[in-house]
Every structure is written in structure tokens, then in C-alpha cells.
Amino acid sequence: MARVVESDTVPGGSDVQQLSLDSIRESLIRQEDTIVFSLIERAKFPLNSPAFEDSSSLTEFFVREIETIQAKVGRYENPEENPFFLDTIPHSVFPTHKYPQVLHPKASSVNINKRLWDVYFKELLPLFVKPGDDGNYASTAASDLACLHALSRRIHYGKFVAEIKFRDSPHDYEPAIRSKDTEALMKLLTFEKVEEMVKKRVEKKAETFGQEVKCVSGGDESEKKKYKVDPYLVSRIYGEWLIPLTKDVEVEYLLRRLD
Ligand SMILES: C=C(O[C@@H]1C=C(C(=O)O)C=C[C@H]1O)C(=O)O
């Protein structure tokens, strides 16, 4: 029978009282490792577009089935997780962990995974994988799902970022929320220096994690380094897609914050 396990653990590994913008940013930094590795893993396979092109594709079928089973073991009890396809989330078959209520109850209605799905398959994937079709669709779909989950978690973490920013200065945010001024909200929550740092750091991570490692010494130093995923592309993926989508989630969340 379902037993509820209580804990004060919240994103960032701290307790509710200690939740801070720094601890939230720490988590985003750790998530970069998962994202960079998932992109490197996906780049082992070519595009394999027949796996995902149709609306009734193998990849969509796979993700729907996996989401159903994951819901049954409680994945979506965690406010950090947002499903791609489940309109009604099946109950967990097992006892579930009781996550502390950090976010506003309307948080679960902020879900931009449909947009992420289109962006990922139409814009991102063709950038960082080789063109072609090797027929290896099941493994490719598993790799795509790992990327989609990592990207979705990062983007929807914007809810926690927005909550902390709101709590830190409610008087700045409240007028803009009441007048539904999305431009003003976007301005309030943007820290350009932090964004620049994120882009630089993920480029460096992609260089470090994706380099060819050789054990023979005395190699030609001038030889051009080869990377599994172009580090500059990873920085672009963050700058042109992931950061803007995270900020869109922040705005969407804030617009509901006073409901
Ligand atoms: C996530 C934050 O909010 C905004 C979005 C950022 C991002 O997605 O990396 C970085 C800085 C901010 O402009 C933050 O302040 O850390």
C-alpha cells in the first residue's frame, strides 16, 4: 500500500529554509554535465529521421510507453519532472516520496515540452549529429529520450529559479505580474553575466568531456583536436535555445504566481 515518505529535501540539496538562488544555480551547473554527456551519447548515432518523423513514430510510441511506466513508479511526483505526453498521470504503484511544496500550486500547469519536442527534433538534433540512417532506431530513441529528459528538466527548473527570485524581491515582481507585463518580467529575471558564464562553461565542458583521449605521449601537439560534439555548438544550443526556453518558463510561472 502506498506509504508517504516525508523529507525536507528540495532542489539544490538544501532544506526548504535554505533554498537560495546559489543552490538552484549549483543544480543547474550539475545538470550541464548530464546534458553535455547526453548530447555526446546521442552523437554516436546518425540522424535516423524515420524513427521520429511521423506523428505515430517509433520514438513517440517509445516515449509515451516509458512515461507511463515511469509515472507508475512515481517519477512525476517530483516537481522537477514534467511529462511530454501524459495528460492524465497514472498513480504510482509504490509508496511515493512526499516532496515539500516549494512552488506555487499552479506550477504543474507550466509545461513547454511540446515546444521542446519540436525544437529538439527540427532544430537541435540536425545541428549536432551526422546526417544518415543506420536503422538503429530503438537505441537512437533511447538516446533521444535521455537528451529530452535532461533538457526538459533544465528548462523547467526555471520554475524554481523564478520562485526564488520572486521571494527575494516580491515588490519588484508583483506590479509586473498584476499587469501581465511579460517584457518587464523578462528584464527583471535576466542576468546577462550569468548567461555568458553558463555559455563559456558548457563550451569548456564539451571540450573536456568530448575530447579524444590518447595514452601515447609525444603526439603531435599541433594536430587539430577532435571532439565528439563541437563545443561551440553546445554553447550555441544553450545561448539560442536552452536559456531562452528556461526564461520563458520563468515568465510563465511568474504570471501564475499570484493566482
Ligand atoms: C536561470 C537563471 O535565470 C536567467 C536564465 C539563465 C539560464 O537559463 O542559465 C541565466 C541567467 C538568467 O538570465 C539564473 O538567474 O540563474
Side-chain angles (χ1 to χ4, degrees):
M1 264 294 88
R3 182 173 57 91
V4 164
V5 183
E6 295 214 37
S7 149
D8 271 354
T9 308
V10 291
S14 52
D15 62 35
V16 184
Q17 280 72 31
Q18 282 168 359
L19 190 62
S20 69
L21 195 49
D22 281 348
S23 65
I24 293 285
R25 283 181 175 152
E26 274 301 309
S27 171
L28 285 173
I29 291 172
R30 181 62 182 84
Q31 288 181 46
E32 290 164 6
D33 302 2
T34 314
I35 291 175
V36 174
F37 275 120
S38 72
L39 300 179
I40 289 172
E41 284 303 282
R42 176 57 180 86
K44 286 196 290 200
F45 306 105
L47 187 60
N48 282 342
S49 55
F52 58 82
E53 256 166 5
D54 304 334
S55 58
S56 56
S57 68
L58 179 152
T59 305
E60 184 173 328
F61 173 81
F62 177 72
V63 175
R64 281 181 186 278
E65 295 283 316
I66 294 279
E67 286 199 333
T68 305
I69 189 98
Q70 289 189 332
K72 290 182 180 170
V73 293
R75 181 175 188 130
Y76 302 107
E77 307 284 327
N78 181 342
E80 289 177 36
E81 303 288 354
N82 297 267
F84 280 84
F85 293 111
L86 297 179
D87 296 322
T88 18
I89 297 176
H91 285 296
S92 177
V93 176
F94 296 97
T96 55
H97 179 76
K98 190 170 185 308
Y99 293 87
Q101 179 94 31
V102 175
L103 301 176
H104 186 280
K106 281 276 179 78
S108 56
S109 68
V110 180
N111 183 328
I112 63 167
N113 276 339
K114 279 199 172 59
R115 242 171 97 196
L116 172 60
W117 182 276
D118 283 345
V119 162
Y120 176 78
F121 286 110
K122 293 190 183 133
E123 299 174 50
L124 302 187
L125 203 48
L127 275 183
F128 73 92
V129 301
K130 294 183 289 296
D133 179 353
D134 68 359
N136 207 351
Y137 301 154
S139 304
T140 304
S143 268
D144 281 323
L145 181 55
C147 292
L148 287 165
H149 271 158
L151 300 178
S152 171
R153 190 176 310 112
R154 198 277 173 199
I155 288 165
H156 290 95
Y157 221 73
K159 298 179 198 180
F160 293 94
V161 180
E163 175 62 27
I164 294 305
K165 289 180 180 172
F166 176 84
R167 284 192 207 175
D168 283 348
S169 38
H171 302 305
D172 293 337
Y173 283 95
E174 274 170 18
I177 295 173
R178 288 192 209 288
S179 57
K180 300 194 188 339
D181 189 343
T182 53
E183 244 175 70
L185 288 173
M186 197 53 101
K187 231 174 160 178
L188 279 170
L189 60 82
T190 296
F191 291 83
E192 270 161 25
K193 275 203 181 133
V194 176
E195 293 181 21
E196 286 314 308
M197 188 62 80
V198 170
K199 285 191 278 175
K200 266 197 211 139
R201 194 176 45 242
V202 293
E203 183 163 348
K204 192 127 196 245
K205 285 183 179 182
E207 269 174 32
T208 310
F209 304 162
Q211 64 187 296
E212 300 287 343
V213 178
K214 292 194 182 124
C215 287
V216 260
S217 56
D220 183 359
E221 288 293 326
S222 64
E223 205 181 307
K224 200 170 178 294
K225 282 199 169 157
K226 275 199 244 146
Y227 299 108
K228 294 177 184 98
V229 171
D230 177 355
Y232 174 63
L233 268 183
V234 175
S235 164
R236 271 191 61 202
I237 288 173
Y238 261 81
E240 293 174 36
W241 288 278
L242 300 189
I243 294 176
L245 287 170
T246 305
K247 288 161 66 170
D248 284 348
V249 166
E250 290 186 55
V251 170
E252 286 297 312
Y253 176 80
L254 287 166
L255 287 172
R256 294 161 171 81
R257 184 59 180 73
L258 299 176
D259 287 2

